[in-house]
């Protein structure tokens, strides 16, 4: 009979892993694959996302659907407020209980997306006190490739999903590659499994070191 110790990985402390990138770069795809992989290995994993499905997150989604029009700074203040709630209600409790968090978009999204229309230093300052992820993956995919993926997968596009904007946001992400610790820029313009393999290896290295 297997004991609990044999089934549970020795490493009890969870990692906080964030996925970032421009729209269509594969964050949702890769978050799910990583969650499934770590779950199969016996880790307790919570897959979560921003904007959340909570009250503030829903208000943000309605703005992204053009149902109302906050100014660019107000929109990023909402993303930041949503993040504060997300940390309190989901991320911190899960990490406290030893679970790993896989977060589909986190604070670099506010700074990268927001900076095309609002002040980057201000956006950094309002996010300065939030917990930093243990690992941040920036999925790097050319905007043209993202646009193709988006057109194939979704009938209507949201606010940020226009190629010129995506180019600027991609540049902003590049400028942020050293802003948080343990940030990896991953070539996401490859087969889904190939991208997943590279991510898996990096996560495993961190799990061994923890
Ligand atoms: N490496 C890849 N190669 C080809 N297609 C991919 C790859 N990764 C994801 N896709 C496809 O591209 C589309 C967008 O992927 P996904 O939803 O994961 O992107 P995203 O980064 O989460 O986008 P958003 O930021 O808009 O939520 C999906 O149809 C997905 O199956
Ligand atoms: Mg997504």
């Amino acid at each position: 009979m297997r004991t609990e110790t044999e089934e549970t990985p020795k490493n009890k402390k969870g990692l906080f892993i964030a996925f970032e990138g421009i729209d269509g770069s594969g964050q949702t795809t890769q978050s799910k694959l990583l969650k499934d992989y770590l779950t199969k290995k016996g880790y307790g994993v919570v897959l979560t996302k921003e904007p959340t499905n909570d009250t503030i997150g829903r208000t943000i989604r309605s703005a992204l659907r053009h149902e109302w029009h906050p100014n660019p700074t107000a929109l990023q203040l909402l993303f930041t407020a949503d993040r504060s709630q997300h940390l309190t209600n989901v991320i911190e409790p899960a990490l406290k209980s030893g679970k790993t968090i896989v977060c589909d978009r986190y604070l670099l999204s506010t700074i990268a997306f927001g900076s095309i229309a609002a002040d980057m230093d201000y956006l950094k300052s309002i996010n300065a006190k939030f917990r930093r992820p243990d690992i941040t993956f920036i999925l790097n995919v050319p905007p043209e490739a993202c646009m193709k993926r988006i057109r194939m997968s979704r009938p209507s596009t949201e606010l940020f999903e226009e190629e010129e904007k995506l180019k600027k946001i991609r540049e902003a992400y590049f400028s942020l590659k050293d802003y948080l610790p343990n940030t990896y820029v991953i070539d996401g313009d490859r087969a889904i499994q190939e991208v997943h393999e590279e991510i898996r290896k990096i996560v495993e290295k961190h799990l061994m070191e923890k």
Side-chain angles (χ1 to χ4, degrees):
M1 199 179 83
R2 295 177 77 189
T3 66
E4 197 185 320
T5 14
E6 278 165 350
E7 281 172 355
T8 313
K10 280 195 196 78
N11 192 322
K12 285 292 285 177
K13 200 154 176 268
L15 284 177
F16 178 16
I17 303 165
F19 280 89
E20 294 282 357
I22 61 175
D23 292 321
S25 59
Q27 299 150 91
T28 301
T29 305
Q30 293 300 328
S31 301
K32 283 187 186 143
L33 285 174
L34 181 63
K35 191 245 177 189
D36 291 347
Y37 173 74
L38 292 174
T39 304
K40 274 195 198 116
K41 285 201 80 177
Y43 291 95
V45 186
V46 175
L47 175 62
T48 185
K49 67 176 178 192
E50 293 188 2
T52 67
N53 287 328
D54 214 332
T55 312
I56 305 171
R58 290 199 305 272
T59 306
I60 294 167
R61 286 174 201 284
S62 100
L64 297 177
R65 290 193 302 267
H66 307 280
E67 289 163 7
W68 67 292
H69 302 92
N71 73 52
T73 303
L75 177 63
Q76 296 308 327
L77 284 166
L78 284 172
F79 272 104
T80 303
D82 185 43
R83 179 162 308 121
S84 181
Q85 290 285 104
H86 192 204
L87 278 158
T88 308
N89 296 341
V90 179
I91 298 175
E92 296 294 354
L95 290 172
K96 209 170 164 196
S97 69
K99 294 208 169 98
T100 281
I101 287 279
V102 176
C103 194
D104 183 352
R105 291 196 177 285
Y106 188 58
L107 64 77
L108 279 195
S109 285
T110 291
I111 302 170
F113 281 73
S115 71
I116 64 166
D119 181 66
M120 190 185 266
D121 287 335
Y122 176 65
L123 297 172
K124 283 181 175 173
S125 73
I126 57 176
N127 282 275
K129 295 244 190 286
F130 295 146
R131 180 192 275 273
R132 270 45 191 150
D134 296 301
I135 309 173
T136 297
F137 291 111
I138 299 176
L139 299 177
N140 179 28
V141 179
E144 313 83 70
C146 289
M147 293 300 293
K148 263 192 213 150
R149 291 181 187 177
I150 292 164
R151 282 197 207 98
M152 275 168 53
S153 66
R154 272 164 267 181
S156 70
T157 58
E158 290 181 337
L159 195 61
F160 288 121
E161 294 175 347
E162 297 141 49
E163 196 167 332
E164 280 313 304
K165 273 188 191 156
L166 291 187
K167 283 184 184 157
K168 288 187 190 150
I169 298 160
R170 188 190 193 201
E171 288 307 314
Y173 269 120
F174 283 145
S175 81
L176 291 162
K177 70 179 174 34
D178 298 317
Y179 181 62
L180 298 174
N182 302 317
T183 300
Y184 298 85
V185 178
I186 304 287
D187 175 8
D189 195 13
R190 293 177 290 167
I192 289 172
Q193 280 303 326
E194 219 177 295
V195 178
H196 172 59
E197 288 275 304
E198 185 178 350
I199 288 166
R200 226 165 79 174
K201 281 186 191 141
I202 293 167
V203 171
E204 266 165 1
K205 187 171 76 88
H206 280 266
L207 283 168
M208 305 239 284
E209 283 167 2
K210 249 186 119 93

